[in-house]
Amino acid sequence: MAPGLVLAATPGGVPTAMPLPGSSFVPFQAPTGSAQRLDQATDTEMGPVQTFDPSARAQVIAMELPRQWSGTYQAFGGSAPVPVQLTFAAVTPVGAMVTLQGEMTIAGQKTPVQGNLNAQSDQLDLIPLAAKLGGGLNAGGRFQGLQGIALSGWNADRLTDMGGRLALEPMGSRRPLVAPRGAGKAVPVRGLW
């Protein structure tokens, strides 16, 4: 079809080409009213500009993240907490993420772990890689958290496992995670998120 032609239907149903009139050009008219150009809007009208750089924060996390953590894992359903130690052998920034590789000991059973930490949201995914895990955990699950390494939950590989809570602190921190055995008062369980 030639440029500038419009198809029109005839009474017999056969389309025919009709040329457009030469004077059909309509000049642009600027909108009236409260329209404003985006590049002329102020911060109060558009909201503040986000200056957070997740890639730069990922590099800071990779440098400053403690490499050794200790704490407890407690399965939901009333079981006793078991000791956990986590050691990172490699902490590498990759864009807005930090990749984690290391080893975790759960109730005396060692497992290699790998995971990701989102530098913008502090979301953690940590996967134990061994076929046998301690503390009543089954292979195939993962720890997920929204508060970085400190607090996460066990997301089991099967629906019959209720999961649990992993609470960690950097090694050498002053605050104990659980009361010593024989202490008169039990430590309350904090909410997962």
Side-chain angles (χ1 to χ4, degrees), residues 72-76 104 124-128 137 141-157 161-168 190-193:
T72 60
Y73 170 75
Q74 184 173 14
F76 296 135
M104 180 182 273
L124 170 73
D125 288 314
L126 192 63
I127 304 169
L137 301 174
R142 64 180 180 226
F143 292 102
Q144 292 183 307
L146 298 175
Q147 297 179 15
I149 309 290
L151 183 63
S152 57
W154 176 249
N155 187 2
D157 64 331
D161 187 341
M162 293 175 31
R165 175 181 170 266
L166 176 68
L168 297 172
R190 296 183 298 174
L192 189 54
W193 284 287

mmCIF file of all heavy atoms in Angstrom, residues 72-76 104 124-128 137 141-157 161-168 190-193:
data_model
loop_
_atom_site.group_PDB
_atom_site.id
_atom_site.type_symbol
_atom_site.label_atom_id
_atom_site.label_comp_id
_atom_site.label_asym_id
_atom_site.label_seq_id
_atom_site.Cartn_x
_atom_site.Cartn_y
_atom_site.Cartn_z
ATOM 1 N N THR A 72 22.016 -19.870 68.561
ATOM 2 C CA THR A 72 21.205 -21.066 68.757
ATOM 3 C C THR A 72 20.196 -21.224 67.631
ATOM 4 O O THR A 72 19.797 -20.253 66.982
ATOM 5 C CB THR A 72 20.424 -20.997 70.082
ATOM 6 O OG1 THR A 72 19.570 -19.860 70.057
ATOM 7 C CG2 THR A 72 21.349 -20.932 71.278
ATOM 8 N N TYR A 73 19.803 -22.477 67.448
ATOM 9 C CA TYR A 73 18.674 -22.803 66.584
ATOM 10 C C TYR A 73 17.648 -23.507 67.462
ATOM 11 O O TYR A 73 17.990 -24.419 68.213
ATOM 12 C CB TYR A 73 19.063 -23.718 65.420
ATOM 13 C CG TYR A 73 17.850 -24.235 64.687
ATOM 14 C CD1 TYR A 73 17.146 -23.404 63.830
ATOM 15 C CD2 TYR A 73 17.376 -25.519 64.909
ATOM 16 C CE1 TYR A 73 16.005 -23.849 63.191
ATOM 17 C CE2 TYR A 73 16.235 -25.971 64.271
ATOM 18 C CZ TYR A 73 15.552 -25.136 63.414
ATOM 19 O OH TYR A 73 14.417 -25.567 62.785
ATOM 20 N N GLN A 74 16.388 -23.070 67.364
ATOM 21 C CA GLN A 74 15.319 -23.714 68.124
ATOM 22 C C GLN A 74 14.161 -24.004 67.182
ATOM 23 O O GLN A 74 13.606 -23.091 66.568
ATOM 24 C CB GLN A 74 14.842 -22.833 69.273
ATOM 25 C CG GLN A 74 13.810 -23.523 70.138
ATOM 26 C CD GLN A 74 13.476 -22.706 71.377
ATOM 27 O OE1 GLN A 74 13.796 -21.537 71.479
ATOM 28 N NE2 GLN A 74 12.812 -23.352 72.326
ATOM 29 N N ALA A 75 13.815 -25.285 67.068
ATOM 30 C CA ALA A 75 12.686 -25.682 66.230
ATOM 31 C C ALA A 75 11.391 -25.239 66.891
ATOM 32 O O ALA A 75 11.267 -25.253 68.117
ATOM 33 C CB ALA A 75 12.686 -27.194 66.025
ATOM 34 N N PHE A 76 10.429 -24.828 66.082
ATOM 35 C CA PHE A 76 9.117 -24.478 66.623
ATOM 36 C C PHE A 76 8.455 -25.756 67.122
ATOM 37 O O PHE A 76 8.625 -26.821 66.555
ATOM 38 C CB PHE A 76 8.248 -23.820 65.550
ATOM 39 C CG PHE A 76 8.794 -22.505 65.069
ATOM 40 C CD1 PHE A 76 8.831 -22.216 63.717
ATOM 41 C CD2 PHE A 76 9.267 -21.549 65.953
ATOM 42 C CE1 PHE A 76 9.321 -21.008 63.265
ATOM 43 C CE2 PHE A 76 9.762 -20.346 65.509
ATOM 44 C CZ PHE A 76 9.788 -20.075 64.163
ATOM 45 N N MET A 104 28.820 -24.108 58.635
ATOM 46 C CA MET A 104 27.936 -23.974 59.786
ATOM 47 C C MET A 104 27.965 -25.275 60.576
ATOM 48 O O MET A 104 27.941 -26.351 59.991
ATOM 49 C CB MET A 104 26.508 -23.672 59.313
ATOM 50 C CG MET A 104 25.490 -23.519 60.415
ATOM 51 S SD MET A 104 23.818 -23.223 59.764
ATOM 52 C CE MET A 104 23.846 -21.457 59.608
ATOM 53 N N LEU A 124 18.213 -12.282 53.710
ATOM 54 C CA LEU A 124 19.221 -13.336 53.703
ATOM 55 C C LEU A 124 18.613 -14.638 53.215
ATOM 56 O O LEU A 124 17.512 -15.010 53.630
ATOM 57 C CB LEU A 124 19.765 -13.542 55.125
ATOM 58 C CG LEU A 124 20.662 -14.766 55.343
ATOM 59 C CD1 LEU A 124 22.022 -14.554 54.696
ATOM 60 C CD2 LEU A 124 20.802 -15.078 56.815
ATOM 61 N N ASP A 125 19.328 -15.339 52.370
ATOM 62 C CA ASP A 125 19.032 -16.715 51.984
ATOM 63 C C ASP A 125 20.321 -17.496 52.212
ATOM 64 O O ASP A 125 21.338 -17.216 51.586
ATOM 65 C CB ASP A 125 18.621 -16.826 50.509
ATOM 66 C CG ASP A 125 17.246 -16.261 50.250
ATOM 67 O OD1 ASP A 125 16.339 -16.567 51.024
ATOM 68 O OD2 ASP A 125 17.083 -15.509 49.270
ATOM 69 N N LEU A 126 20.277 -18.475 53.127
ATOM 70 C CA LEU A 126 21.455 -19.255 53.473
ATOM 71 C C LEU A 126 21.100 -20.734 53.383
ATOM 72 O O LEU A 126 20.177 -21.199 54.052
ATOM 73 C CB LEU A 126 21.914 -18.895 54.894
ATOM 74 C CG LEU A 126 23.278 -19.375 55.335
ATOM 75 C CD1 LEU A 126 24.379 -18.761 54.472
ATOM 76 C CD2 LEU A 126 23.514 -19.026 56.794
ATOM 77 N N ILE A 127 21.822 -21.465 52.542
ATOM 78 C CA ILE A 127 21.486 -22.854 52.248
ATOM 79 C C ILE A 127 22.564 -23.792 52.791
ATOM 80 O O ILE A 127 23.713 -23.729 52.347
ATOM 81 C CB ILE A 127 21.344 -23.070 50.726
ATOM 82 C CG1 ILE A 127 20.307 -22.111 50.166
ATOM 83 C CG2 ILE A 127 20.985 -24.513 50.412
ATOM 84 C CD1 ILE A 127 20.281 -22.054 48.655
ATOM 85 N N PRO A 128 22.221 -24.670 53.740
ATOM 86 C CA PRO A 128 23.155 -25.719 54.159
ATOM 87 C C PRO A 128 23.256 -26.775 53.047
ATOM 88 O O PRO A 128 22.247 -27.192 52.489
ATOM 89 C CB PRO A 128 22.518 -26.306 55.417
ATOM 90 C CG PRO A 128 21.388 -25.414 55.778
ATOM 91 C CD PRO A 128 21.023 -24.647 54.558
ATOM 92 N N LEU A 137 17.202 -30.827 61.619
ATOM 93 C CA LEU A 137 16.946 -30.227 60.303
ATOM 94 C C LEU A 137 17.137 -31.266 59.207
ATOM 95 O O LEU A 137 17.999 -32.144 59.307
ATOM 96 C CB LEU A 137 17.894 -29.056 60.059
ATOM 97 C CG LEU A 137 17.831 -27.921 61.074
ATOM 98 C CD1 LEU A 137 18.911 -26.899 60.788
ATOM 99 C CD2 LEU A 137 16.474 -27.272 61.050
ATOM 100 N N GLY A 141 16.271 -27.735 52.927
ATOM 101 C CA GLY A 141 15.680 -26.488 53.401
ATOM 102 C C GLY A 141 16.690 -25.361 53.342
ATOM 103 O O GLY A 141 17.818 -25.528 52.877
ATOM 104 N N ARG A 142 16.274 -24.190 53.841
ATOM 105 C CA ARG A 142 17.185 -23.045 53.862
ATOM 106 C C ARG A 142 16.758 -22.071 54.955
ATOM 107 O O ARG A 142 15.614 -22.060 55.386
ATOM 108 C CB ARG A 142 17.224 -22.351 52.519
ATOM 109 C CG ARG A 142 15.911 -21.732 52.130
ATOM 110 C CD ARG A 142 16.013 -21.052 50.789
ATOM 111 N NE ARG A 142 14.718 -20.485 50.460
ATOM 112 C CZ ARG A 142 14.148 -20.594 49.301
ATOM 113 N NH1 ARG A 142 14.743 -21.245 48.336
ATOM 114 N NH2 ARG A 142 12.988 -20.054 49.080
ATOM 115 N N PHE A 143 17.714 -21.287 55.373
ATOM 116 C CA PHE A 143 17.439 -20.221 56.332
ATOM 117 C C PHE A 143 17.126 -18.958 55.554
ATOM 118 O O PHE A 143 17.851 -18.593 54.633
ATOM 119 C CB PHE A 143 18.638 -19.987 57.254
ATOM 120 C CG PHE A 143 18.901 -21.123 58.191
ATOM 121 C CD1 PHE A 143 19.915 -22.032 57.936
ATOM 122 C CD2 PHE A 143 18.132 -21.295 59.331
ATOM 123 C CE1 PHE A 143 20.164 -23.084 58.802
ATOM 124 C CE2 PHE A 143 18.369 -22.350 60.198
ATOM 125 C CZ PHE A 143 19.385 -23.245 59.931
ATOM 126 N N GLN A 144 16.040 -18.290 55.951
ATOM 127 C CA GLN A 144 15.656 -17.037 55.311
ATOM 128 C C GLN A 144 15.403 -15.998 56.390
ATOM 129 O O GLN A 144 14.767 -16.300 57.402
ATOM 130 C CB GLN A 144 14.389 -17.196 54.478
ATOM 131 C CG GLN A 144 14.584 -18.058 53.257
ATOM 132 C CD GLN A 144 13.316 -18.131 52.433
ATOM 133 O OE1 GLN A 144 12.254 -18.466 52.946
ATOM 134 N NE2 GLN A 144 13.437 -17.830 51.168
ATOM 135 N N GLY A 145 15.889 -14.796 56.158
ATOM 136 C CA GLY A 145 15.701 -13.741 57.134
ATOM 137 C C GLY A 145 15.582 -12.381 56.488
ATOM 138 O O GLY A 145 15.986 -12.182 55.337
ATOM 139 N N LEU A 146 15.012 -11.451 57.238
ATOM 140 C CA LEU A 146 14.862 -10.075 56.769
ATOM 141 C C LEU A 146 15.668 -9.111 57.623
ATOM 142 O O LEU A 146 15.524 -7.908 57.492
ATOM 143 C CB LEU A 146 13.378 -9.668 56.795
ATOM 144 C CG LEU A 146 12.471 -10.484 55.878
ATOM 145 C CD1 LEU A 146 11.018 -10.078 56.062
ATOM 146 C CD2 LEU A 146 12.891 -10.304 54.424
ATOM 147 N N GLN A 147 16.500 -9.632 58.507
ATOM 148 C CA GLN A 147 17.317 -8.809 59.385
ATOM 149 C C GLN A 147 18.788 -9.176 59.257
ATOM 150 O O GLN A 147 19.517 -9.208 60.232
ATOM 151 C CB GLN A 147 16.847 -8.964 60.833
ATOM 152 C CG GLN A 147 15.442 -8.499 61.057
ATOM 153 C CD GLN A 147 14.996 -8.691 62.501
ATOM 154 O OE1 GLN A 147 15.794 -8.921 63.389
ATOM 155 N NE2 GLN A 147 13.703 -8.583 62.719
ATOM 156 N N GLY A 148 19.222 -9.471 58.068
ATOM 157 C CA GLY A 148 20.608 -9.845 57.859
ATOM 158 C C GLY A 148 20.911 -11.205 58.460
ATOM 159 O O GLY A 148 20.080 -12.107 58.461
ATOM 160 N N ILE A 149 22.111 -11.354 59.009
ATOM 161 C CA ILE A 149 22.558 -12.633 59.558
ATOM 162 C C ILE A 149 21.951 -12.889 60.943
ATOM 163 O O ILE A 149 21.767 -14.020 61.357
ATOM 164 C CB ILE A 149 24.102 -12.653 59.675
ATOM 165 C CG1 ILE A 149 24.751 -12.247 58.354
ATOM 166 C CG2 ILE A 149 24.622 -13.994 60.146
ATOM 167 C CD1 ILE A 149 24.625 -13.228 57.244
ATOM 168 N N ALA A 150 21.621 -11.840 61.680
ATOM 169 C CA ALA A 150 21.271 -11.953 63.092
ATOM 170 C C ALA A 150 20.063 -12.841 63.371
ATOM 171 O O ALA A 150 20.086 -13.624 64.316
ATOM 172 C CB ALA A 150 21.030 -10.566 63.681
ATOM 173 N N LEU A 151 19.007 -12.731 62.612
ATOM 174 C CA LEU A 151 17.787 -13.483 62.912
ATOM 175 C C LEU A 151 17.190 -14.018 61.616
ATOM 176 O O LEU A 151 16.965 -13.267 60.677
ATOM 177 C CB LEU A 151 16.775 -12.575 63.614
ATOM 178 C CG LEU A 151 15.470 -13.223 64.060
ATOM 179 C CD1 LEU A 151 15.726 -14.299 65.112
ATOM 180 C CD2 LEU A 151 14.529 -12.168 64.612
ATOM 181 N N SER A 152 16.950 -15.313 61.583
ATOM 182 C CA SER A 152 16.347 -15.907 60.386
ATOM 183 C C SER A 152 15.501 -17.106 60.802
ATOM 184 O O SER A 152 15.572 -17.584 61.927
ATOM 185 C CB SER A 152 17.417 -16.317 59.367
ATOM 186 O OG SER A 152 18.336 -17.215 59.932
ATOM 187 N N GLY A 153 14.725 -17.573 59.873
ATOM 188 C CA GLY A 153 13.862 -18.718 60.121
ATOM 189 C C GLY A 153 14.211 -19.861 59.187
ATOM 190 O O GLY A 153 14.710 -19.643 58.076
ATOM 191 N N TRP A 154 13.943 -21.075 59.629
ATOM 192 C CA TRP A 154 14.192 -22.264 58.822
ATOM 193 C C TRP A 154 12.988 -22.508 57.938
ATOM 194 O O TRP A 154 11.866 -22.651 58.415
ATOM 195 C CB TRP A 154 14.465 -23.466 59.717
ATOM 196 C CG TRP A 154 14.640 -24.754 58.982
ATOM 197 C CD1 TRP A 154 13.789 -25.819 58.983
ATOM 198 C CD2 TRP A 154 15.737 -25.121 58.138
ATOM 199 N NE1 TRP A 154 14.284 -26.821 58.203
ATOM 200 C CE2 TRP A 154 15.484 -26.428 57.666
ATOM 201 C CE3 TRP A 154 16.897 -24.487 57.732
ATOM 202 C CZ2 TRP A 154 16.355 -27.099 56.819
ATOM 203 C CZ3 TRP A 154 17.759 -25.157 56.889
ATOM 204 C CH2 TRP A 154 17.487 -26.438 56.444
ATOM 205 N N ASN A 155 13.203 -22.527 56.640
ATOM 206 C CA ASN A 155 12.173 -22.840 55.663
ATOM 207 C C ASN A 155 12.450 -24.264 55.206
ATOM 208 O O ASN A 155 13.344 -24.504 54.399
ATOM 209 C CB ASN A 155 12.242 -21.850 54.494
ATOM 210 C CG ASN A 155 11.100 -22.007 53.533
ATOM 211 O OD1 ASN A 155 10.221 -22.833 53.734
ATOM 212 N ND2 ASN A 155 11.112 -21.216 52.485
ATOM 213 N N ALA A 156 11.700 -25.213 55.748
ATOM 214 C CA ALA A 156 11.964 -26.634 55.535
ATOM 215 C C ALA A 156 11.570 -27.073 54.130
ATOM 216 O O ALA A 156 10.823 -26.393 53.430
ATOM 217 C CB ALA A 156 11.213 -27.465 56.569
ATOM 218 N N ASP A 157 12.066 -28.239 53.759
ATOM 219 C CA ASP A 157 11.775 -28.794 52.434
ATOM 220 C C ASP A 157 10.454 -29.553 52.397
ATOM 221 O O ASP A 157 10.022 -29.978 51.350
ATOM 222 C CB ASP A 157 12.912 -29.717 52.002
ATOM 223 C CG ASP A 157 13.038 -30.931 52.911
ATOM 224 O OD1 ASP A 157 12.692 -30.816 54.097
ATOM 225 O OD2 ASP A 157 13.483 -31.982 52.424
ATOM 226 N N ASP A 161 7.374 -30.294 58.501
ATOM 227 C CA ASP A 161 8.364 -29.665 59.367
ATOM 228 C C ASP A 161 7.914 -28.229 59.628
ATOM 229 O O ASP A 161 7.729 -27.442 58.706
ATOM 230 C CB ASP A 161 9.738 -29.672 58.689
ATOM 231 C CG ASP A 161 10.842 -29.188 59.601
ATOM 232 O OD1 ASP A 161 10.559 -28.523 60.613
ATOM 233 O OD2 ASP A 161 12.004 -29.482 59.286
ATOM 234 N N MET A 162 7.722 -27.881 60.904
ATOM 235 C CA MET A 162 7.199 -26.560 61.250
ATOM 236 C C MET A 162 8.240 -25.457 61.124
ATOM 237 O O MET A 162 7.918 -24.277 61.191
ATOM 238 C CB MET A 162 6.654 -26.574 62.679
ATOM 239 C CG MET A 162 5.429 -27.444 62.806
ATOM 240 S SD MET A 162 4.792 -27.645 64.488
ATOM 241 C CE MET A 162 5.169 -26.159 65.321
ATOM 242 N N GLY A 163 9.495 -25.807 60.960
ATOM 243 C CA GLY A 163 10.535 -24.794 60.854
ATOM 244 C C GLY A 163 11.092 -24.440 62.216
ATOM 245 O O GLY A 163 10.863 -25.129 63.208
ATOM 246 N N GLY A 164 11.825 -23.351 62.268
ATOM 247 C CA GLY A 164 12.431 -22.940 63.518
ATOM 248 C C GLY A 164 13.066 -21.575 63.394
ATOM 249 O O GLY A 164 12.953 -20.906 62.371
ATOM 250 N N ARG A 165 13.758 -21.189 64.455
ATOM 251 C CA ARG A 165 14.334 -19.855 64.559
ATOM 252 C C ARG A 165 15.832 -19.953 64.794
ATOM 253 O O ARG A 165 16.283 -20.637 65.713
ATOM 254 C CB ARG A 165 13.661 -19.150 65.729
ATOM 255 C CG ARG A 165 14.189 -17.809 66.077
ATOM 256 C CD ARG A 165 13.389 -17.286 67.285
ATOM 257 N NE ARG A 165 13.993 -16.111 67.819
ATOM 258 C CZ ARG A 165 14.869 -16.102 68.824
ATOM 259 N NH1 ARG A 165 15.220 -17.218 69.394
ATOM 260 N NH2 ARG A 165 15.376 -14.978 69.239
ATOM 261 N N LEU A 166 16.603 -19.251 63.961
ATOM 262 C CA LEU A 166 18.056 -19.191 64.093
ATOM 263 C C LEU A 166 18.421 -17.781 64.540
ATOM 264 O O LEU A 166 18.139 -16.814 63.833
ATOM 265 C CB LEU A 166 18.734 -19.521 62.763
ATOM 266 C CG LEU A 166 20.251 -19.403 62.725
ATOM 267 C CD1 LEU A 166 20.882 -20.485 63.606
ATOM 268 C CD2 LEU A 166 20.760 -19.509 61.302
ATOM 269 N N ALA A 167 19.009 -17.661 65.711
ATOM 270 C CA ALA A 167 19.441 -16.367 66.238
ATOM 271 C C ALA A 167 20.955 -16.406 66.397
ATOM 272 O O ALA A 167 21.484 -17.264 67.098
ATOM 273 C CB ALA A 167 18.772 -16.084 67.568
ATOM 274 N N LEU A 168 21.642 -15.491 65.735
ATOM 275 C CA LEU A 168 23.105 -15.458 65.750
ATOM 276 C C LEU A 168 23.600 -14.073 66.147
ATOM 277 O O LEU A 168 22.929 -13.068 65.894
ATOM 278 C CB LEU A 168 23.657 -15.808 64.369
ATOM 279 C CG LEU A 168 23.353 -17.189 63.831
ATOM 280 C CD1 LEU A 168 23.809 -17.309 62.390
ATOM 281 C CD2 LEU A 168 24.031 -18.245 64.685
ATOM 282 N N ARG A 190 11.650 -14.351 70.804
ATOM 283 C CA ARG A 190 11.278 -13.161 70.031
ATOM 284 C C ARG A 190 10.524 -13.575 68.774
ATOM 285 O O ARG A 190 10.690 -14.676 68.267
ATOM 286 C CB ARG A 190 12.536 -12.394 69.601
ATOM 287 C CG ARG A 190 13.312 -11.853 70.778
ATOM 288 C CD ARG A 190 14.486 -11.058 70.310
ATOM 289 N NE ARG A 190 15.405 -11.893 69.550
ATOM 290 C CZ ARG A 190 16.468 -11.449 68.922
ATOM 291 N NH1 ARG A 190 16.780 -10.198 68.948
ATOM 292 N NH2 ARG A 190 17.256 -12.276 68.269
ATOM 293 N N GLY A 191 9.722 -12.665 68.269
ATOM 294 C CA GLY A 191 9.000 -12.919 67.022
ATOM 295 C C GLY A 191 9.966 -13.062 65.879
ATOM 296 O O GLY A 191 11.093 -12.529 65.907
ATOM 297 N N LEU A 192 9.582 -13.803 64.859
ATOM 298 C CA LEU A 192 10.490 -14.074 63.749
ATOM 299 C C LEU A 192 10.796 -12.816 62.957
ATOM 300 O O LEU A 192 11.927 -12.550 62.615
ATOM 301 C CB LEU A 192 9.872 -15.146 62.841
ATOM 302 C CG LEU A 192 10.783 -15.691 61.763
ATOM 303 C CD1 LEU A 192 12.083 -16.197 62.358
ATOM 304 C CD2 LEU A 192 10.095 -16.801 61.017
ATOM 305 N N TRP A 193 9.784 -11.987 62.662
ATOM 306 C CA TRP A 193 10.049 -10.744 61.940
ATOM 307 C C TRP A 193 9.307 -9.632 62.579
ATOM 308 O O TRP A 193 8.261 -9.413 62.739
ATOM 309 C CB TRP A 193 9.679 -10.849 60.465
ATOM 310 C CG TRP A 193 10.681 -11.623 59.719
ATOM 311 C CD1 TRP A 193 11.925 -11.232 59.367
ATOM 312 C CD2 TRP A 193 10.569 -12.966 59.242
ATOM 313 N NE1 TRP A 193 12.568 -12.220 58.715
ATOM 314 C CE2 TRP A 193 11.758 -13.293 58.607
ATOM 315 C CE3 TRP A 193 9.563 -13.911 59.295
ATOM 316 C CZ2 TRP A 193 11.987 -14.519 58.022
ATOM 317 C CZ3 TRP A 193 9.801 -15.118 58.712
ATOM 318 C CH2 TRP A 193 10.988 -15.418 58.081
#
